[in-house]
Amino acid sequence: MPDEMSRPLIRGRGEGGSFRHLEASVSEPHAPVIGILGTGDFSRSLARRLVFSGYHVVVGSRTPKRSVALFPDEAEVTSQMEAASQADLVFVAVFPEHHSTLVELKPVLAGKTLVDVSNSLQINRDGPSNAEQLARLFPESSVVKGFNTISAWALQVGPRDGSRQVFLCSDSQKAKRSVMQLCHRMGFIPIDMGLLSSSLEIENMPLFLFPSWRIPVLCTLFLFIFFYLYNFIRDVLQPFVTKGKSVFYKLPIETVNVTLPSVSLVMLALVYLPGLCAAFLQLWWGTKYNRFPSWLDRWLTRRKQFGLCSFLCAVLHAIYSLCLPLRRSARFKLINLAYKQVKDGVDDSWVNEEVWRMELYLSAGILALGLLSLLAVASLPSVANTINWREFSFIQSTLGYCALFMATVHTLFYGWNRAFDPEQYRFYLPPTFVLVLILPFVVLLGRLALFLPCVSLRLSQIRRGWEKSRHIRFTLPDEDGRNGLEDISNV
Amino acid sequence: MPDEMSRPLIRGRGEGGSFRHLEASVSEPHAPVIGILGTGDFSRSLARRLVFSGYHVVVGSRTPKRSVALFPDEAEVTSQMEAASQADLVFVAVFPEHHSTLVELKPVLAGKTLVDVSNSLQINRDGPSNAEQLARLFPESSVVKGFNTISAWALQVGPRDGSRQVFLCSDSQKAKRSVMQLCHRMGFIPIDMGLLSSSLEIENMPLFLFPSWRIPVLCTLFLFIFFYLYNFIRDVLQPFVTKGKSVFYKLPIETVNVTLPSVSLVMLALVYLPGLCAAFLQLWWGTKYNRFPSWLDRWLTRRKQFGLCSFLCAVLHAIYSLCLPLRRSARFKLINLAYKQVKDGVDDSWVNEEVWRMELYLSAGILALGLLSLLAVASLPSVANTINWREFSFIQSTLGYCALFMATVHTLFYGWNRAFDPEQYRFYLPPTFVLVLILPFVVLLGRLALFLPCVSLRLSQIRRGWEKSRHIRFTLPDEDGRNGLEDISNV
Amino acid sequence: MPDEMSRPLIRGRGEGGSFRHLEASVSEPHAPVIGILGTGDFSRSLARRLVFSGYHVVVGSRTPKRSVALFPDEAEVTSQMEAASQADLVFVAVFPEHHSTLVELKPVLAGKTLVDVSNSLQINRDGPSNAEQLARLFPESSVVKGFNTISAWALQVGPRDGSRQVFLCSDSQKAKRSVMQLCHRMGFIPIDMGLLSSSLEIENMPLFLFPSWRIPVLCTLFLFIFFYLYNFIRDVLQPFVTKGKSVFYKLPIETVNVTLPSVSLVMLALVYLPGLCAAFLQLWWGTKYNRFPSWLDRWLTRRKQFGLCSFLCAVLHAIYSLCLPLRRSARFKLINLAYKQVKDGVDDSWVNEEVWRMELYLSAGILALGLLSLLAVASLPSVANTINWREFSFIQSTLGYCALFMATVHTLFYGWNRAFDPEQYRFYLPPTFVLVLILPFVVLLGRLALFLPCVSLRLSQIRRGWEKSRHIRFTLPDEDGRNGLEDISNV
């Protein structure tokens, strides 16, 4: 839900109670003088924060008289020229399209550090970045890119909430380091991103929209549509066409509910498939030092997202299933059944096999869901950061494969003997669960293969740095003193 | 569940295994000498931590002989006078009501930094704070407030778990900075809160009890009571009074279950209402630089809490609904229905409209709940910190409005044509869902209005700093180089 | 789900897009020279990261020619001797079993700082640690243990994701501090663990597998097995033996579902029992300065885990219960009931008492689950870190006891009058809920006792440092200025 970050920014005078102290906060005598060009929201919050961390702040405005009211008393508001010449370090908080209006300041800015805080409006793929353009305009100044990922709000309330990381890059290590110190003193965590060439990446950061989720989500959608249509044809269209029986009421819930578990199980298998591919590739190559094909690389880095998509589908499947008995349709069916039984005078309709089938696949399903939930919780950033590598790989690999196994068992019990019942092959289409089970079976068998002593021994050697091509005694001392744990086989 | 923080503190000698290293830890030669006045739990943990970060520690006790056993060997335990005169920086860990007992130390403490770590027992609204009183007692010393939010336990185990932030304030930048360095070296994150005048705020911090939740929770309770009574009158009282039919068994579950979704939907609408008000105010003013009325300001900062309350109600509603078929009452009704059908000899009681209605509102409800869950997960601090502003506003605004929309659809399908059925107006009271839908409709229509090209264009201009009063070309260069993204319209 | 940490490491040349900047990153002129011995994954990632933080890096390899291709251009790859002599600070990234191969470097490494990054393959309980062995090999060098908890992957992507803490220990404060600075500059958070004697602990860190969960999980399993067997005998075996009625279909779901709540409630009681013991011990001793017996100490630190186990069981119980009406068995029973009713010509089978019982215990159960969920959410690290002590103890203690109370009420309503029905004592075994209720009753009564004015007053005195043995006026000034809040009574 929207939180404080999204609160509208407060005007110069009259902060909320929590800014009492700012009003009176004094800048200390010998602190470096920080200049700010521009008088927008960000400039104001930045000025406030700097004053508040004990810096002497000079703001350069086109209209000092009008702007002075917007800034805390301790900040000196003057002309751009004046500010630029006084300051040791200058924040450029002006729209990139107006950087050119600053060229007049070139001489006074020469030799000084300029911090470009600008954002773009849309993702810029091929550059040059705003920071690089600024650097071209001021060749004698050293430009540092940063603070663009920090919201004016985060500056105001201080780094108490919201992310505290400030990504910095510059071609001048000296300039970068001075800005880093500034960050530390303001209570942020500077992250060195290297040379100005990465400014493009930094400028795009706030514009990305879940890049790592694109493929997994598309994959989920595709599978959903495919299975939904498949089930529609088998469960709704077929009875309508063949027997003229209209069961379209199944579309909103029942069809969705048989589709979701299929998607979930396939996605879960897709989480563990790349790890297997990687392992087999390494065995085949006889080394861990060949690079994986980029598709595999990308896939490996997306496993978390694949897993969470699978989890989401599993949870929805659970909720949909639990809703089934709520529905009027279920009630009507039940009553009609009762009616029928009475008419037929059957005094016990109990079918032991059906009962057992359902009890078994339900409990397998619940256990699978429980395991998946543990995985999901463990993938929360704050939880993942508190567990060590071994615990991480225990959860994500051992428990993960257990979940995959239980989900497969769940599906098998659900299928029971239907795979062999010709009745089920409507329009010659096999029941959905038959299609769904293929991938999980492949993955589970692949994993079993890796458990064979010879294979697993060789793999662990490779993971410790052994290479088919070289002699082992010779290479080991060159390896670093870390067991091969932190490797994909574990996850 | 209670965690390690709440573990009782360990006495001087014989720590648990994880403190082995403390025992022998040596303080380095030229480290500054840190004094501690007081020998309580906090003093001990502080001493241990300081020794352990390589400081030379001198503890001032009224009863050095008795106290020495409580402190690590490396810490020197002596008289208060002795400690005060040796130390460069002195922690005052004595109950505030006994600060006066330290006046004898005034001369030796002159010119030194005193750190007041004291807490109050209840919230102190009008001051003066303990720290300010201490400062009056020792005018020649520079007082720094801090560490009161850190528990003795957090000091013992080190900043590995629990919050690492130490809020500091002081009138002397120099003193404050030296304490900040100390913090860094102890592994904490110092947060500068400005002048000593904010010590009151810092002292109250550990005493606040969810201040930001008060209004949202009260609001939820009020709505709950209102709708519960309303439903009670319509669903329980009316049949009892008019037909003498006693259905009081509905009180614990069914009535609660029709009340919860009403509360949830209204609360969700209240999450997005203030954002709209703000947007329309800005359009009306033609600037984003007017301050919002304080009630709106507060409301905007509480949206997260409103949203989570709404989510809680939604989840409870889901659980209650899923429990319905479990109940004996449901079973009895079902059997009686079956019995009736048999008696009447109706061989198919299927009513297609009822079936569709239920399938539709159930699935709409599930989707709404799914979306709300995503919002809730995204509002976890650790998740919120890993996403950028655009992603944040996508989830909280776009997905949020989708959730509101789905919840409204859910309610509409639930209502079906009942709004037009006179039967439903028991005691001339309209069905609950009619009342509930008013606010969501208002919000959704308001949002649609903001989508009108002319309106949205003007709004985005305003958000980029344009003001009706000024000429646009002139003002822009003075704006900072940030797109208007980080603004309320997005959330 | 597996996340980026588990991504296979990238070979020297040709990083993924996010490493563009590394390629060109230049090390600054006067930066200290860092040496690395070993050329494994970790060495490479370390080299990359160091270069990237502006250090001059010299890698010592047995086979410089072969290895050079694996490292970034800026890193100089040379012989081990050469590297060791050039560097001011040397990372030893060689398998511990090959440390001995480095003795030839002894003279050149004398007086320098060696950082041992090695991991063990299994937990080493009695030492000496790898670091201590290295220290014996190089007595003239000062050895620092650290970085072994950091994965090569975390080094590559930088400390953006994953844990940022680097645990360090050394007998030389000077060496330790220089490594700490290095950490800070690389963007990690150094945590001082004291002397080299704690290197064993640090080396074991990455090998622990949820040590704090062992006892709680075993306890849960034991309780589960016990209650499962107990219920099996009463609900399945007894009818089979006595009436020859086979209800084995109950094993997968129904028996599990009556077992889970029993485990959950007992575990929840076990969360609050140790706190009570501690409080009563303190009252008995008349002081808070006696150490608790170690079993109690350990128990107190495990309450969070006990609570989460209890929560897990409660959630599973909820899911199992909600699945009940889904099952074929439920449907068959229902239809047979309807059939029976028709045959008997009973036109209304409604039993008011049964209805009320179920409505009441269901709603009590839902509320208990809701409260437990709040506790669980509040125990997420990121949430726990945002709340102060008072809020924490309000949730964990006040809400926690409410949850325990509601769960007890849930069980009582469930039991209704069955405890007094001889029918229920199959095989002379009392109904499960009777056994289950004992512990919760003890805990709730104990808590009530602590509410007695005299008792609670005395306890709060003790928690503020009062001791039976000493006179109160005298001791208080020696106590630190913190209220007794941060103490176990609150949780």
Side-chain angles (χ1 to χ4, degrees):
Chain A
M1 288 62 186
D3 75 356
E4 278 115 25
M5 282 172 65
S6 54
R7 175 184 179 185
L9 292 166
I10 292 159
R11 193 146 196 182
R13 293 274 165 279
E15 277 75 10
S18 69
F19 299 123
R20 263 200 285 70
H21 41 78
L22 265 63
E23 290 314 319
S25 179
V26 293
S27 66
E28 70 198 81
H30 310 304
V33 179
I34 310 292
I36 304 178
L37 301 177
T39 59
D41 291 333
F42 188 77
S43 316
R44 289 163 214 175
S45 312
L46 183 62
R48 194 163 286 114
R49 182 112 208 109
L50 285 166
V51 161
F52 170 39
S53 316
Y55 288 101
H56 179 57
V57 177
V58 191
V59 181
S61 166
R62 284 272 183 105
T63 56
K65 280 163 202 50
R66 289 184 62 269
S67 311
V68 67
L70 309 172
F71 287 85
D73 305 335
E74 301 76 17
E76 179 183 336
V77 182
T78 166
S79 73
Q80 297 194 329
M81 182 58 78
E82 180 58 21
S85 45
Q86 276 190 45
D88 312 309
L89 186 150
V90 178
F91 281 88
V92 182
V94 174
F95 278 113
E97 56 267 42
H98 302 290
H99 279 165
S100 49
T101 65
L102 304 173
V103 282
E104 40 178 343
L105 308 175
K106 212 167 187 174
V108 292
L109 289 175
K112 296 185 175 176
T113 299
L114 303 185
V115 185
D116 173 26
V117 302
S118 66
N119 269 337
S120 316
L121 277 168
Q122 62 268 348
I123 292 182
N124 169 352
R125 296 227 171 278
D126 19 74
S129 68
N130 303 340
E132 284 164 328
Q133 287 165 326
L134 189 68
R136 282 183 207 151
L137 281 173
F138 299 91
E140 297 101 78
S141 318
S142 33
V143 171
V144 177
K145 179 77 204 184
F147 286 93
N148 60 313
T149 54
I150 302 296
S151 73
W153 172 251
L155 279 167
Q156 274 205 352
V157 298
R160 253 170 293 173
D161 39 29
S163 177
R164 305 175 56 243
Q165 298 183 325
V166 174
F167 299 94
L168 298 173
C169 72
S170 171
D171 290 345
S172 148
Q173 291 287 338
K174 194 167 144 306
K176 203 196 298 176
R177 215 158 30 260
S178 61
V179 179
M180 282 180 149
Q181 281 156 11
L182 197 92
C183 290
H184 273 306
R185 182 128 155 228
M186 290 167 79
F188 291 101
I189 301 169
I191 305 284
D192 185 338
M193 295 288 287
L195 294 182
L196 203 61
S197 57
S198 30
S199 55
L200 195 63
E201 191 187 348
I202 298 181
E203 282 176 13
N204 286 334
M205 275 183 190
L207 298 171
F208 286 130
L209 189 58
F210 298 108
S212 59
W213 285 87
R214 191 162 293 118
I215 297 165
V217 167
L218 286 177
C219 187
T220 313
L221 285 180
F222 167 78
L223 285 169
F224 185 87
I225 292 163
F226 169 76
F227 282 114
Y228 189 85
L229 290 177
Y230 191 86
N231 291 320
F232 169 72
I233 293 168
R234 289 188 76 256
D235 305 344
V236 181
L237 207 59
Q238 193 264 3
F240 185 68
V241 172
T242 55
K243 317 193 194 69
K245 197 158 139 251
S246 147
V247 289
F248 290 97
Y249 75 89
K250 288 187 174 183
L251 291 180
I253 294 192
E254 283 184 34
T255 315
V256 173
N257 190 37
V258 287
T259 305
L260 284 169
S262 319
V263 179
S264 179
L265 186 50
V266 174
M267 289 296 286
L268 192 57
L270 289 177
V271 171
Y272 293 99
L273 194 53
L276 287 176
C277 301
F280 283 114
L281 269 177
Q282 290 182 329
L283 283 166
W284 170 260
W285 287 332
T287 171
K288 70 170 173 179
Y289 296 118
N290 291 6
R291 241 191 123 205
F292 294 122
S294 61
W295 59 268
L296 182 54
D297 235 16
R298 266 203 310 284
W299 194 358
L300 286 161
T301 62
R302 297 283 177 270
R303 287 179 290 179
K304 180 182 180 178
Q305 287 76 9
F306 272 90
L308 288 172
C309 288
S310 159
F311 174 65
L312 183 66
C313 295
V315 170
L316 284 175
H317 168 51
I319 298 178
Y320 271 104
S321 311
L322 295 173
C323 284
L324 295 178
L326 280 176
R327 301 167 310 146
R328 274 278 179 294
S329 50
R331 190 210 267 180
F332 289 138
K333 277 190 188 151
L334 209 54
I335 297 178
N336 292 338
L337 266 174
Y339 180 83
K340 205 168 150 308
Q341 180 170 351
V342 174
K343 284 273 156 290
D344 310 351
V346 184
D347 59 356
D348 187 353
S349 54
W350 189 276
V351 185
N352 225 355
E353 187 193 1
E354 274 192 43
V355 169
W356 271 100
R357 168 176 166 262
M358 193 129 186
E359 305 275 338
L360 288 175
Y361 85 70
L362 274 181
S363 48
I366 295 171
L367 295 180
L369 186 66
L371 288 168
L372 277 179
S373 318
L374 291 184
L375 297 186
V377 170
S379 68
L380 284 172
S382 60
V383 178
N385 292 351
T386 60
I387 61 184
N388 65 35
W389 176 266
R390 186 166 165 226
E391 294 166 335
F392 178 82
S393 71
F394 170 78
I395 290 181
Q396 300 302 6
S397 168
T398 314
L399 288 193
Y401 270 105
C402 292
L404 181 61
F405 178 74
M406 285 314 295
T408 313
V409 170
H410 170 62
T411 318
L412 284 171
F413 277 134
Y414 172 83
W416 207 249
N417 57 8
R418 296 182 180 179
F420 317 111
D421 166 11
E423 281 283 299
Q424 296 291 328
Y425 291 76
R426 310 182 186 137
F427 286 155
Y428 309 104
L429 295 173
T432 321
F433 70 86
V434 176
L435 301 187
V436 172
L437 281 171
I438 298 163
L439 210 50
F441 269 126
V442 173
V443 172
L444 289 172
L445 292 175
R447 191 76 194 89
L448 278 180
L450 290 183
F451 277 131
L452 298 176
C454 53
V455 183
S456 61
L457 176 65
R458 170 50 49 92
L459 194 59
S460 59
Q461 285 177 333
I462 291 176
R463 297 255 159 93
R464 288 199 93 198
W466 178 89
E467 299 196 43
K468 209 193 270 159
S469 49
R470 311 197 262 161
H471 182 281
I472 183 159
R473 271 288 103 253
F474 170 72
T475 148
L476 266 180
D478 251 10
E479 285 313 310
D480 53 33
R482 329 250 311 172
N483 53 57
L485 269 178
E486 296 152 17
D487 215 327
I488 47 174
S489 76
N490 315 310
V491 179
Chain B
M1 289 59 188
D3 76 355
E4 278 114 23
M5 282 173 65
S6 53
R7 176 184 180 186
L9 293 166
I10 293 160
R11 195 147 194 180
R13 293 274 164 279
E15 275 74 10
S18 69
F19 299 123
R20 265 201 283 72
H21 40 78
L22 265 64
E23 292 314 322
S25 180
V26 293
S27 66
E28 70 198 81
H30 311 304
V33 180
I34 309 294
I36 303 177
L37 300 177
T39 58
D41 291 334
F42 188 78
S43 316
R44 289 161 215 174
S45 311
L46 183 62
R48 194 163 285 115
R49 182 111 208 110
L50 285 166
V51 162
F52 168 39
S53 316
Y55 288 101
H56 179 56
V57 176
V58 191
V59 181
S61 164
R62 284 274 183 100
T63 55
K65 281 166 203 47
R66 288 185 60 269
S67 312
V68 66
L70 309 172
F71 288 85
D73 305 336
E74 302 76 17
E76 179 183 336
V77 182
T78 163
S79 73
Q80 297 193 330
M81 181 58 76
E82 180 59 22
S85 45
Q86 274 190 46
D88 312 309
L89 186 150
V90 179
F91 281 88
V92 181
V94 174
F95 278 112
E97 57 266 43
H98 303 289
H99 280 165
S100 48
T101 65
L102 303 173
V103 281
E104 40 177 344
L105 308 175
K106 211 168 188 172
V108 292
L109 288 176
K112 296 185 176 178
T113 298
L114 304 185
V115 184
D116 173 24
V117 302
S118 65
N119 269 338
S120 316
L121 277 169
Q122 62 268 348
I123 292 183
N124 168 352
R125 297 226 169 275
D126 19 74
S129 68
N130 304 340
E132 285 164 326
Q133 287 166 326
L134 189 68
R136 283 183 207 151
L137 281 174
F138 299 91
E140 296 101 78
S141 318
S142 32
V143 171
V144 177
K145 179 78 204 182
F147 286 93
N148 59 314
T149 55
I150 302 295
S151 73
W153 171 251
L155 279 167
Q156 273 205 353
V157 297
R160 253 170 292 174
D161 39 29
S163 177
R164 303 176 57 246
Q165 298 182 325
V166 175
F167 298 93
L168 297 173
C169 72
S170 170
D171 290 344
S172 149
Q173 290 288 339
K174 195 168 144 303
K176 202 196 298 177
R177 223 170 9 271
S178 62
V179 179
M180 282 180 149
Q181 281 157 12
L182 197 93
C183 289
H184 273 306
R185 182 129 156 227
M186 290 167 81
F188 290 100
I189 301 169
I191 305 284
D192 185 339
M193 296 287 288
L195 294 182
L196 202 61
S197 57
S198 30
S199 56
L200 195 62
E201 191 187 346
I202 298 181
E203 282 175 14
N204 285 336
M205 275 183 190
L207 297 171
F208 287 131
L209 189 58
F210 300 107
S212 59
W213 285 87
R214 192 160 294 118
I215 297 164
V217 167
L218 287 177
C219 188
T220 312
L221 285 180
F222 167 77
L223 285 170
F224 185 87
I225 292 163
F226 169 74
F227 282 115
Y228 189 86
L229 290 177
Y230 192 85
N231 291 319
F232 169 72
I233 293 167
R234 289 188 76 257
D235 305 344
V236 180
L237 208 58
Q238 193 264 2
F240 185 67
V241 172
T242 55
K243 318 192 193 73
K245 197 161 139 245
S246 146
V247 288
F248 290 98
Y249 76 90
K250 286 187 174 182
L251 291 180
I253 294 192
E254 282 186 35
T255 315
V256 173
N257 189 36
V258 287
T259 305
L260 284 170
S262 319
V263 180
S264 178
L265 186 49
V266 174
M267 290 295 286
L268 191 58
L270 290 177
V271 171
Y272 293 99
L273 192 54
L276 286 177
C277 300
F280 283 113
L281 268 178
Q282 291 182 330
L283 283 167
W284 171 259
W285 288 332
T287 172
K288 70 171 173 177
Y289 297 119
N290 291 6
R291 241 190 124 206
F292 294 122
S294 60
W295 59 268
L296 183 53
D297 234 18
R298 266 203 309 284
W299 193 359
L300 286 160
T301 62
R302 297 283 178 270
R303 287 178 291 179
K304 179 182 180 178
Q305 287 75 9
F306 272 89
L308 289 172
C309 288
S310 159
F311 174 66
L312 183 65
C313 294
V315 170
L316 283 175
H317 168 51
I319 299 178
Y320 271 103
S321 311
L322 295 173
C323 285
L324 295 177
L326 279 176
R327 300 167 311 147
R328 275 277 181 295
S329 49
R331 189 211 266 180
F332 288 138
K333 277 189 189 152
L334 208 56
I335 296 180
N336 292 340
L337 266 174
Y339 178 83
K340 205 169 150 307
Q341 181 170 352
V342 174
K343 283 276 155 289
D344 310 351
V346 184
D347 59 356
D348 187 353
S349 54
W350 188 275
V351 184
N352 225 355
E353 189 192 359
E354 276 192 42
V355 169
W356 271 100
R357 168 178 166 261
M358 193 129 186
E359 305 275 338
L360 288 175
Y361 85 70
L362 275 182
S363 47
I366 296 172
L367 294 180
L369 185 66
L371 288 168
L372 277 179
S373 320
L374 290 183
L375 297 185
V377 170
S379 68
L380 285 171
S382 60
V383 177
N385 291 352
T386 60
I387 61 183
N388 66 34
W389 176 266
R390 188 167 164 223
E391 293 166 335
F392 178 82
S393 71
F394 170 79
I395 290 183
Q396 301 301 6
S397 166
T398 315
L399 288 192
Y401 270 104
C402 292
L404 181 59
F405 177 74
M406 286 314 294
T408 314
V409 170
H410 170 62
T411 319
L412 283 172
F413 277 135
Y414 172 83
W416 207 249
N417 56 8
R418 298 181 179 179
F420 317 110
D421 167 10
E423 281 284 300
Q424 296 290 328
Y425 290 77
R426 311 180 186 138
F427 286 153
Y428 308 104
L429 295 174
T432 322
F433 70 88
V434 176
L435 301 188
V436 172
L437 280 172
I438 297 164
L439 210 50
F441 269 125
V442 172
V443 172
L444 289 172
L445 291 175
R447 191 76 193 88
L448 279 180
L450 291 183
F451 278 130
L452 297 176
C454 54
V455 183
S456 61
L457 176 66
R458 171 49 49 91
L459 194 59
S460 59
Q461 285 177 332
I462 291 175
R463 298 253 158 93
R464 287 199 94 198
W466 179 89
E467 299 197 43
K468 210 192 273 161
S469 49
R470 310 199 264 162
H471 181 281
I472 183 160
R473 271 288 102 252
F474 170 73
T475 147
L476 266 178
D478 251 10
E479 283 314 309
D480 54 31
R482 330 246 315 170
N483 54 57
L485 268 179
E486 296 152 18
D487 215 328
I488 47 174
S489 77
N490 314 309
V491 180
Chain C
M1 288 59 188
D3 76 354
E4 277 115 25
M5 283 172 65
S6 54
R7 176 184 181 186
L9 293 166
I10 292 160
R11 193 147 198 179
R13 293 274 165 279
E15 276 75 10
S18 70
F19 301 121
R20 263 199 285 71
H21 39 79
L22 265 64
E23 290 314 320
S25 179
V26 293
S27 65
E28 70 198 82
H30 311 304
V33 179
I34 309 293
I36 304 178
L37 301 177
T39 60
D41 291 333
F42 188 77
S43 316
R44 288 162 215 175
S45 311
L46 183 62
R48 193 163 286 113
R49 184 111 207 107
L50 285 166
V51 162
F52 170 38
S53 315
Y55 288 101
H56 178 58
V57 177
V58 191
V59 181
S61 165
R62 284 271 183 102
T63 55
K65 281 165 202 48
R66 287 185 63 266
S67 312
V68 67
L70 309 172
F71 288 86
D73 306 334
E74 302 75 17
E76 179 184 334
V77 182
T78 165
S79 74
Q80 296 194 329
M81 182 57 79
E82 180 58 22
S85 45
Q86 275 190 47
D88 312 308
L89 186 150
V90 179
F91 281 88
V92 181
V94 174
F95 278 112
E97 56 267 43
H98 302 291
H99 280 166
S100 49
T101 66
L102 302 174
V103 283
E104 41 178 342
L105 309 175
K106 211 167 189 171
V108 293
L109 289 176
K112 296 185 175 177
T113 298
L114 303 185
V115 185
D116 173 25
V117 303
S118 65
N119 268 337
S120 316
L121 277 169
Q122 61 268 348
I123 292 182
N124 168 353
R125 297 226 170 276
D126 20 75
S129 68
N130 303 339
E132 285 165 326
Q133 286 165 326
L134 188 69
R136 282 183 206 149
L137 281 173
F138 299 91
E140 296 102 80
S141 320
S142 32
V143 172
V144 177
K145 179 76 205 184
F147 286 93
N148 59 314
T149 55
I150 302 295
S151 74
W153 171 251
L155 279 167
Q156 274 205 354
V157 297
R160 252 170 294 172
D161 39 29
S163 176
R164 304 175 57 243
Q165 299 182 324
V166 174
F167 298 94
L168 298 172
C169 71
S170 170
D171 291 344
S172 148
Q173 291 286 339
K174 195 168 146 303
K176 203 197 296 177
R177 220 165 16 265
S178 62
V179 179
M180 281 182 150
Q181 281 157 12
L182 197 93
C183 289
H184 273 306
R185 184 132 155 223
M186 291 167 81
F188 291 100
I189 301 170
I191 306 283
D192 185 338
M193 296 287 288
L195 295 182
L196 202 61
S197 56
S198 32
S199 55
L200 196 62
E201 191 188 346
I202 298 181
E203 282 175 14
N204 286 335
M205 274 183 191
L207 297 171
F208 287 130
L209 189 58
F210 299 108
S212 59
W213 285 87
R214 190 161 294 118
I215 296 163
V217 167
L218 286 177
C219 186
T220 313
L221 285 179
F222 167 78
L223 285 169
F224 185 87
I225 293 164
F226 169 75
F227 282 114
Y228 190 86
L229 291 176
Y230 191 86
N231 291 319
F232 169 73
I233 292 168
R234 288 187 76 257
D235 306 343
V236 180
L237 206 60
Q238 193 264 2
F240 185 68
V241 172
T242 54
K243 319 192 193 73
K245 195 157 140 252
S246 146
V247 289
F248 291 98
Y249 77 90
K250 287 187 175 183
L251 291 181
I253 295 192
E254 284 185 35
T255 315
V256 174
N257 190 36
V258 287
T259 305
L260 284 170
S262 320
V263 180
S264 178
L265 186 49
V266 174
M267 289 295 287
L268 192 57
L270 290 177
V271 172
Y272 293 98
L273 193 53
L276 286 177
C277 299
F280 283 113
L281 268 177
Q282 290 182 330
L283 282 167
W284 171 261
W285 289 331
T287 171
K288 72 171 172 178
Y289 297 120
N290 290 7
R291 246 194 117 200
F292 295 122
S294 61
W295 60 266
L296 182 54
D297 234 17
R298 265 203 309 284
W299 193 357
L300 285 160
T301 62
R302 296 284 177 269
R303 289 179 289 179
K304 179 182 181 178
Q305 287 75 9
F306 271 89
L308 288 172
C309 288
S310 159
F311 175 65
L312 184 66
C313 294
V315 170
L316 283 176
H317 168 51
I319 298 179
Y320 271 103
S321 311
L322 294 174
C323 284
L324 295 177
L326 279 176
R327 301 166 311 147
R328 275 276 180 294
S329 50
R331 188 210 268 181
F332 288 138
K333 278 189 188 150
L334 209 54
I335 298 179
N336 292 339
L337 266 174
Y339 180 83
K340 204 168 150 308
Q341 181 170 351
V342 175
K343 284 272 154 292
D344 311 351
V346 185
D347 59 356
D348 187 352
S349 54
W350 188 275
V351 185
N352 225 355
E353 188 192 0
E354 276 192 42
V355 168
W356 272 100
R357 169 177 166 262
M358 193 128 187
E359 305 276 337
L360 288 175
Y361 86 69
L362 274 183
S363 48
I366 295 172
L367 294 179
L369 186 66
L371 288 168
L372 278 179
S373 320
L374 291 183
L375 297 186
V377 170
S379 68
L380 284 171
S382 60
V383 177
N385 291 352
T386 59
I387 60 184
N388 65 36
W389 176 266
R390 188 166 163 226
E391 295 166 335
F392 178 82
S393 73
F394 170 78
I395 290 181
Q396 301 301 5
S397 166
T398 315
L399 288 193
Y401 270 103
C402 292
L404 180 61
F405 177 74
M406 285 313 294
T408 313
V409 171
H410 171 61
T411 317
L412 283 172
F413 277 134
Y414 172 82
W416 208 250
N417 57 9
R418 297 181 181 179
F420 317 110
D421 166 13
E423 280 284 298
Q424 295 291 328
Y425 290 76
R426 311 180 188 138
F427 286 153
Y428 308 105
L429 295 174
T432 321
F433 70 87
V434 175
L435 301 188
V436 172
L437 280 171
I438 298 163
L439 211 49
F441 268 126
V442 173
V443 173
L444 290 172
L445 291 175
R447 191 75 193 90
L448 279 180
L450 290 183
F451 276 132
L452 297 176
C454 53
V455 183
S456 61
L457 176 65
R458 170 51 49 92
L459 194 59
S460 60
Q461 286 177 331
I462 290 175
R463 297 252 159 96
R464 289 199 91 196
W466 179 89
E467 299 198 42
K468 208 192 272 159
S469 49
R470 312 198 263 162
H471 181 280
I472 186 159
R473 268 290 102 249
F474 170 71
T475 148
L476 267 179
D478 251 9
E479 283 315 308
D480 54 33
R482 328 251 312 174
N483 54 56
L485 268 178
E486 296 151 20
D487 216 328
I488 47 175
S489 77
N490 315 309
V491 180

